[in-house]
Amino acid sequence: MHYPIKVPGAVAAGIIEVFSPYDGKPIGTVECIDAKGAELALKNLAAVFHDRNNWLPAHERIAILERAALTIQARSEQLITIAIAEGGKPYSDTKVELLRAIDSIKISIDCIRSARGTEIPMQLNPASMNRLAFTHREPIGPVVAVSAFNHPLNLIAHQVAPAIAAGCPVVIKPARETPLSAFALVDIFHQSGLPVAWCQPVMIEDNNVTEQLVTDKRVAFFSFIGSAEIGWMLRSKLAPGTRCALEHGGIAPVIIAEDADLDKILPLMAKGGFYHAGQVCVSVKRIYAHRSIARKVATGLGALAGHMTVGNPAGVGTDIGPLIRHEEVDRVESWVNEAIAENAELITGGKRLSSSLYQPTVLLNPSVQSKVSQQEIFGPVICVYEYDNIDEAIEQANSLPYAFQAAIATQNIDTALYAFKHLAASTVTINDHTAFRVDWMPFAGLRESGYGTGGIPYTFRDMQVEKMAIFHSPSL
């Protein structure tokens, strides 16, 4: 599978090879751009946006998105195969992701249909007499989006579909490890009637070129999904006036009270922690369980982990696939071994199965100073900590510079509401895992976990500006 350069007028500056994270086999190639290609991509964005007479009207944007959704559905197995091969997420979960990508496009269509301005009251004082004012929404301008590897279909849909819906031309740079899904999706948007210059997927090997693309003064909005280190650095270099949204990682905390229904909650915690080998920004990572049940929670999770199938992500029965890079397995192994050396109790797992696979692992009472307690492990590891009172658990849950989604498991409404009030998080789920998400809800990292709010309607709104018209007439 090979994708040529997609920037009109640009010349390829090299080829990126894509390999399976599971077995290392080559699965495709993508041509990449250099500084000259990035400049052409920016010129293309600016040109189509500044030609206001040829902006895509709402009915055309709706038709393009409708055709794209139907085509993605028709090619679902092909797209699932590509995403599994390059990303390593098991088949059943990748199928869910593809359905979410289709839904993300449909939600974007709904955003177009429901977008509206408002009337601004006038004639409320002598100065505003004989006036009528209202607003409507226009596209903010050229968008540059940088995406992550862990959801190669739906993340692209989350960044590209709202841009199309809002009327913004967009350049999308997928992750180095998973560009094939992005290029395949953009091809579908083009085949569905979107002019090529309105959506240009690019691959870049030189980080300086990526920075050139993102920080150019012609960029009106920057969308980033990836590591905090890179996201905050790029935000600090944005041109004056460029707006942005950043989605980084977290170390999602869960509090399990002594009255929680463990039979119901533990399978959810196992899914939320081990889904996609823990490579999700809101994966269950820290569970604070009441001392009376903490060991039962840890051993119960260990038993569930022991029944999970780890292996080839293309296998229909596989629960956990590979980590995205072999060095990530090395890192996860190192962090777990360090935690055990610092007196964490290994309940289950704790071993690599191959250069790409790591066992689902449960640790009981790691030191709060261990890396597994302080940083996002982004691997299939869940840590369980004992607590004596809920305020102690909340204090520990809130102690890190990350805040995203959190959870509380309890049968007591007062306990649930208390945790909802006091947990530092943008979302608190009750009797569910932290990785729950639907694509029309707000999804926001706080503190170092991000900036702005994701979710299709929120991204759509961010990619527009509100413009006001004021009519002055003696007839009013």
Side-chain angles (χ1 to χ4, degrees):
M1 181 183 301
H2 175 73
Y3 285 100
I5 198 166
K6 298 290 184 178
V7 176
V11 177
I15 291 180
I16 288 176
E17 292 187 89
V18 183
F19 300 92
S20 163
Y22 173 62
D23 56 19
K25 292 181 179 177
I27 56 175
T29 53
V30 179
E31 292 179 351
C32 58
I33 61 171
D34 57 10
K36 291 181 179 179
E39 174 59 23
L40 272 171
L42 290 163
K43 283 185 176 179
N44 293 336
L45 285 182
V48 294
F49 181 72
H50 289 144
D51 183 8
R52 292 184 173 232
N53 289 327
N54 286 307
W55 278 4
L56 298 173
H59 72 89
E60 285 189 20
R61 286 178 267 140
I62 289 172
I64 289 165
L65 292 168
E66 285 177 338
R67 288 191 290 266
L70 289 172
T71 303
I72 291 169
Q73 181 68 63
R75 300 181 189 174
S76 59
E77 288 302 317
Q78 175 191 356
L79 292 167
I80 289 170
T81 298
I82 294 170
I84 291 172
E86 66 178 352
K89 185 186 296 177
Y91 178 88
S92 59
D93 293 328
T94 301
K95 185 173 183 178
V96 170
E97 182 189 341
L98 179 125
L99 294 174
R100 284 183 60 193
I102 295 171
D103 201 36
S104 294
I105 294 171
K106 292 179 178 179
I107 297 167
S108 297
I109 295 170
D110 291 340
C111 288
I112 301 174
R113 295 186 186 280
S114 60
R116 62 179 63 87
T118 56
E119 182 178 355
I120 307 302
M122 291 288 160
Q123 308 189 53
L124 301 180
N125 63 6
S128 61
M129 292 302 294
N130 305 116
R131 287 171 173 82
L132 172 68
F134 62 86
T135 66
H136 88 133
R137 295 179 183 178
E138 289 186 354
I140 191 171
V143 172
V144 170
V146 175
S147 202
F149 76 85
N150 51 346
H151 306 291
L153 295 167
N154 197 36
L155 291 185
I156 302 303
H158 261 259
Q159 292 172 294
V160 170
I164 296 171
C168 296
V170 56
V171 164
I172 177 78
K173 192 198 87 64
R176 169 67 176 77
E177 295 82 5
T178 56
L180 303 177
S181 297
F183 275 69
L185 284 177
V186 173
D187 270 358
I188 288 173
F189 284 120
H190 291 159
Q191 292 160 11
S192 300
L194 184 69
V196 173
W198 281 81
C199 184
Q200 301 168 94
V202 299
M203 281 308 299
I204 302 171
E205 286 203 284
D206 186 341
N207 290 335
N208 292 324
V209 176
T210 300
E211 185 175 320
Q212 167 198 343
L213 186 68
V214 168
T215 60
D216 191 89
K217 65 182 180 181
R218 288 165 287 190
V219 177
F221 190 83
F222 171 49
S223 170
F224 180 84
I225 304 173
S227 76
E229 179 183 5
I230 296 173
W232 291 116
M233 179 275 290
L234 289 173
R235 177 177 178 264
S236 73
K237 298 183 177 183
L238 294 179
T242 301
R243 301 182 187 180
C244 72
L246 311 177
E247 184 182 311
H248 301 146
I251 313 179
V254 178
I255 296 174
I256 301 184
E258 60 267 41
D259 65 345
D261 186 337
L262 297 186
D263 289 338
K264 292 181 179 179
I265 203 66
L266 291 185
L268 292 171
M269 295 301 115
K271 179 64 177 178
F274 299 132
Y275 164 68
H276 197 11
Q279 299 171 114
V280 179
C281 59
V282 286
S283 290
V284 173
K285 285 291 165 274
R286 297 179 292 153
I287 294 179
Y288 298 94
H290 191 269
R291 188 176 299 277
S292 64
I293 59 169
R295 183 166 293 277
K296 187 175 182 180
V297 167
T299 56
L301 287 171
L304 291 166
H307 286 94
M308 291 183 172
T309 300
V310 185
N312 187 344
V316 175
T318 299
D319 298 300
I320 300 174
L323 278 84
I324 193 65
R325 292 179 294 273
H326 292 174
E327 53 265 35
E328 293 301 296
V329 180
D330 298 337
R331 181 185 55 79
V332 170
E333 180 180 54
S334 171
W335 286 21
V336 170
N337 289 343
E338 178 184 279
I340 294 170
E342 294 170 345
N343 295 321
E345 181 180 344
L346 178 64
I347 300 298
T348 192
K351 294 180 180 178
R352 67 166 64 221
L353 299 176
S354 71
S355 59
S356 63
L357 301 172
Y358 194 82
Q359 287 180 315
T361 296
V362 178
L363 298 174
L364 178 61
N365 287 326
S367 166
V368 294
Q369 302 304 320
S370 294
K371 287 189 179 73
V372 295
S373 301
Q374 291 289 317
Q375 301 177 46
E376 183 181 27
I377 193 167
F378 225 57
V381 179
I382 298 175
C383 298
V384 180
Y385 307 83
E386 296 175 339
Y387 76 86
D388 291 308
N389 65 76
I390 195 167
D391 288 320
E392 173 191 347
I394 290 171
E395 182 179 1
Q396 286 298 310
N398 293 346
S399 65
L400 301 180
Y402 314 101
F404 215 138
Q405 300 201 161
I408 173 73
T410 180
Q411 298 302 300
N412 187 308
I413 186 64
D414 292 328
T415 303
L417 290 172
Y418 187 84
F420 171 73
K421 179 179 179 179
H422 289 90
L423 282 168
S426 59
T427 297
V428 178
T429 65
I430 293 88
N431 293 324
D432 206 345
H433 60 69
T434 56
F436 172 78
R437 183 184 186 185
V438 288
D439 298 291
W440 57 86
M441 77 183 212
F443 192 68
L446 307 178
R447 298 178 179 173
E448 293 182 20
S449 289
Y451 181 83
T453 302
I456 297 297
Y458 305 89
T459 301
F460 172 80
R461 185 66 187 89
D462 278 348
M463 291 180 177
Q464 292 185 318
V465 293
E466 201 161 24
K467 179 185 275 188
M468 182 167 62
I470 304 174
F471 289 86
H472 185 201
S473 169
S475 298
L476 290 169

